[in-house]
Amino acid sequence: MSFSNLGLSDKVLAAVAATGYTNPTPIQEQAIPHVLARRDVLGIAQTGTGKTAAFVLPMLTLLEKGRARARMPRTLILEPTRELAAQVKEQFDKYGAGQKLNVALLIGGVSFGDQDSKLMRGVDVLIATPGRLLDHTERGGLLLTGVELLVIDEADRMLDMGFIPDIERICKLVPFTRQTLFFTATMPPEISRITEAFLHNPARIEVSKPATTAVTVTQLQVPAGREAHDKREILRRLLRDAKDLNNAIIFCNRKREVAVLHKSLQKHGFSVGALHGDMDQSARTAALDQFRKGEIPLLVASDVAARGLDIPAVSHVFNFDVPHHPDDYVHRIGRTGRAGRTGTAISIVTSLDSKSMTAIEKLIGQPIPRAEGDYTVRSESSDEDAAPRRSRGREGSRDGARGGRKPRREREPRHGEREAGHAEREPRQDHEPRRERVAKPEREPRQGRNTPPQAAPSHVPSIGRAEPRRPQREVDHEPADHSHLPAFLLRPVRARA
Ligand code: AMP
């Protein structure tokens, strides 16, 4: 099957040819003709399957006819996170370069004024996170009554993040007669209910069984003690020992752990970024850009921040914490082994994780073997999180002194480690005002599948409103608490010019 048999316009076919893609992926092959026939679609597919182009390409074809009116977008795409929204916009920019379409992004952390003037000019494609979209409709700057096509992407993620009530509100603001394209990686009961309520006789397309892991990913586990410092030491050894490690995402279950691990790895000379839902938008974008470009080979991340992101060539995924939900394991390791590439996923497993591991192995239908090599942490005082003031050679002898192991030989820095001593030489920046370091609350917190009830952190200032009724948009597994973190850790990473 080639793209030319799917009914796409000549302009869109030319744009696809320019990207070098020759054949549609299964979700594209199956979904595109239905979208072009104006049918509702229920796509059960994970990121990495080419599902974004499965709606972007036919939308571009459909949008060739007609014009946008001020404040009344013609199509609307809902994404759970700002990064995913930005990623979809990139695809419109790539495939729609030959068309004069107005594509606008409505995400938090960006000024209302700029977004408002874009809406005023008329928008063909509006890509939004639910909270910011509702903020605009409540302010009267946006009318959804002209929406002909609605895309709800990553619906199960929306559920996890507590966005379903927002989605239901938005669905009531768009015309009943619109076409709806609905994508989800899994079908929990709440998502089934929504598809029944908001889709009309959809074409159901399931490209791979939900919750399967790519066969190209080697999955391993390493046993560890319960102490976080033991796990950090094991992680460092794994990073140093890993074969063919080009870049890696290291997942933690909590935002706080992301920050602690990030700091620890930096102190140990690794070149590493961090990504979690509490960082401000510029820091998140900068960390992601640097990781994508290969400027930082390691990224410590929480599930909320990392899910669904398309980072094409990740060689390794480390689960510093075993995820509590087996679905999250599948999503995490799906960051590697994408598009047929090989990858390695290594989980650091403590005795507290045995239930979670059993659930994961049941879900993926296979046992996860133990990694070769001895990663036992033998010393009580293994917390090396004091900055290593020694050369790598001395670090080796320190290992020997602690664990009775042979001293490591002097060696070149590997896998994201900076030159020895670099961490100490890097000048620290002065403290930034605290206000800039916290997530900007936009809407009220909502209960998600995975989010326990929690109060909005009292230190989070309300932006642009007298009453702090807006919550943080993205909720990790625990409330944010910055008080224990040194200021430099919370400083936004400066984007390169
Ligand atoms: P997605 O599932 O939309 O996140 O896409 C995953 C990756 O597959 C992206 O990097 C796309 O650029 C890429 N991709 C999309 N369509 C195709 C195709 N037909 N052939 C090869 N790669 C593709």
Side-chain angles (χ1 to χ4, degrees), residues 155-351:
D156 54 347
R157 194 65 196 156
M158 303 266 199
L159 174 66
D160 286 346
M161 294 171 73
F163 288 164
I164 295 302
D166 284 352
I167 301 295
E168 291 180 316
R169 281 183 61 201
I170 293 165
C171 283
K172 286 180 188 144
L173 296 173
V174 297
F176 180 74
T177 50
R178 93 263 157 183
Q179 180 182 10
T180 308
L181 314 179
F182 190 100
F183 293 91
T184 182
T186 54
M187 280 294 274
E190 181 70 355
I191 293 294
S192 295
R193 181 187 71 75
I194 288 174
T195 58
E196 280 156 28
F198 295 119
L199 295 173
H200 304 292
N201 186 27
R204 184 186 165 108
I205 298 162
E206 192 164 347
V207 290
S208 64
K209 274 204 299 182
T212 51
T213 50
V215 284
T216 50
V217 180
T218 304
Q219 300 174 63
L220 298 166
Q221 59 172 305
V222 175
R226 291 180 187 185
E227 300 294 334
H229 53 72
D230 284 1
K231 289 169 66 176
R232 288 196 288 270
E233 184 174 333
I234 290 172
L235 176 69
R236 291 193 293 275
R237 289 191 204 164
L238 286 168
L239 287 170
R240 288 168 188 145
D241 289 356
K243 287 197 191 85
D244 306 322
L245 192 151
N246 185 40
N247 56 357
I249 304 181
I250 303 157
F251 283 100
C252 301
N253 288 352
R254 292 155 186 248
K255 292 180 278 205
R256 184 182 304 177
E257 194 62 56
V258 171
V260 171
L261 183 60
H262 177 223
K263 177 185 156 202
S264 166
L265 286 170
Q266 278 188 323
K267 279 186 173 176
H268 282 271
F270 290 90
S271 172
V272 57
L275 196 67
H276 62 76
D278 241 13
M279 290 163 59
D280 76 28
Q281 191 54 36
S282 60
R284 283 163 63 158
T285 307
L288 199 56
D289 276 357
Q290 286 179 308
F291 185 71
R292 277 204 179 113
K293 288 181 195 156
E295 292 167 3
I296 44 170
L298 305 177
L299 189 68
V300 188
S302 66
D303 290 290
V304 162
R307 185 138 154 198
L309 296 181
D310 179 33
I311 304 166
V314 176
S315 71
H316 284 62
V317 163
F318 293 92
N319 285 317
F320 181 77
D321 296 313
V322 173
H324 300 307
H325 295 272
D327 281 352
D328 284 334
Y329 177 85
V330 176
H331 282 286
R332 287 180 183 187
I333 80 158
R335 305 296 97 215
T336 183
R338 287 163 85 82
R341 291 187 182 89
T342 55
T344 304
I346 305 180
S347 301
I348 300 175
V349 180
T350 74
S351 56

Side-chain angles (χ1 to χ4, degrees), residues 410-431:
E410 190 110 31
R411 55 166 177 70
E412 294 293 315
R414 294 174 57 195
H415 307 327
E417 287 175 86
R418 296 198 210 100
E419 295 293 327
H422 185 96
E424 288 82 52
R425 287 202 305 273
E426 230 177 58
R428 286 194 174 192
Q429 302 269 330
D430 282 332
H431 294 204

Side-chain angles (χ1 to χ4, degrees), residues 2 16 24 40 138 195 206 256 259 283 335 366 370 430 433 471:
S2 97
V16 172
D40 282 5
E138 283 166 15
T195 58
E206 192 164 347
R256 184 182 304 177
R335 305 296 97 215
Q366 63 184 76
R370 271 174 76 148
D430 282 332

Side-chain angles (χ1 to χ4, degrees), residues 3 21-25 28 46-53 87 91 94-95 308 310 312 338:
F3 276 106
Y21 298 149
T22 45
N23 297 311
T25 64
Q28 292 164 2
Q46 298 180 17
T47 48
T49 55
K51 78 172 161 68
T52 315
Q87 214 165 267
Q91 298 230 9
K94 182 166 78 174
Y95 297 117
D310 179 33
R338 287 163 85 82

